[in-house]
Amino acid sequence: MRGSLRSVLFDACCVPTSAVAELETERLETACDRNDYQRTQAEAAADALSAKMKKEAEDAARADEADARYVDLSARYSAPVLRYQAGRRSPGGTDLSRAAEVAKDVDGPGICAVIPVGTS
């Protein structure tokens, strides 16, 4: 405590009043600069957040548009594909999956048909 009292007395006695005024001015300018910096940082953060939210909204709108285009294209192309598939399964056509089942069941379940190859 004594050292600090001595420095206060020394400063008060030995420092010219103009220097004290300059130091006080510098301290006030530094405080103003700090406040300006903090205000500018807050504004920049708010601007960045606003830009981010705007970008996210635009991206969401684009995603919705893409989903709508997908649904439209899917509906437009799935109908012809279903018609094509239905045409291939017409009543006059052969159902290959049914023919394979019939061929498998001719010899009984699990029994392989053995076709002998000629011996000499």
Side-chain angles (χ1 to χ4, degrees), residues 34-92:
R34 187 177 308 116
N35 290 337
D36 287 343
Y37 174 79
Q38 289 172 346
R39 181 183 44 80
T40 304
Q41 284 296 101
E43 288 174 2
D47 291 345
L49 182 59
S50 175
K52 178 184 174 193
M53 291 172 63
K54 181 180 176 183
K55 176 85 168 105
E56 287 175 351
E58 290 171 356
D59 290 346
R62 285 190 189 115
D64 290 342
E65 290 173 8
D67 289 344
R69 282 194 313 265
Y70 171 78
V71 168
D72 179 50
L73 289 174
S74 177
R76 218 182 327 161
Y77 290 108
S78 66
V81 168
L82 291 175
R83 281 194 303 273
Y84 173 76
Q85 289 174 345
R88 289 186 52 146
R89 288 182 290 207
S90 67

Side-chain angles (χ1 to χ4, degrees), residues 4-119:
S4 62
L5 179 61
R6 188 176 288 168
S7 66
V8 170
L9 291 175
F10 178 77
D11 288 343
C13 294
C14 299
V15 177
T17 55
S18 63
V20 172
E22 287 178 19
L23 288 174
E24 183 62 20
T25 301
E26 187 66 30
R27 187 186 65 77
L28 291 174
E29 287 174 352
T30 301
C32 286
D33 289 345
R34 187 177 308 116
N35 290 337
D36 287 343
Y37 174 79
Q38 289 172 346
R39 181 183 44 80
T40 304
Q41 284 296 101
E43 288 174 2
D47 291 345
L49 182 59
S50 175
K52 178 184 174 193
M53 291 172 63
K54 181 180 176 183
K55 176 85 168 105
E56 287 175 351
E58 290 171 356
D59 290 346
R62 285 190 189 115
D64 290 342
E65 290 173 8
D67 289 344
R69 282 194 313 265
Y70 171 78
V71 168
D72 179 50
L73 289 174
S74 177
R76 218 182 327 161
Y77 290 108
S78 66
V81 168
L82 291 175
R83 281 194 303 273
Y84 173 76
Q85 289 174 345
R88 289 186 52 146
R89 288 182 290 207
S90 67
T94 305
D95 187 0
L96 296 178
S97 62
R98 177 72 185 133
E101 283 180 26
V102 170
K104 184 170 65 172
D105 292 338
V106 170
D107 294 326
I111 300 173
C112 296
V114 177
I115 301 174
V117 178
T119 57

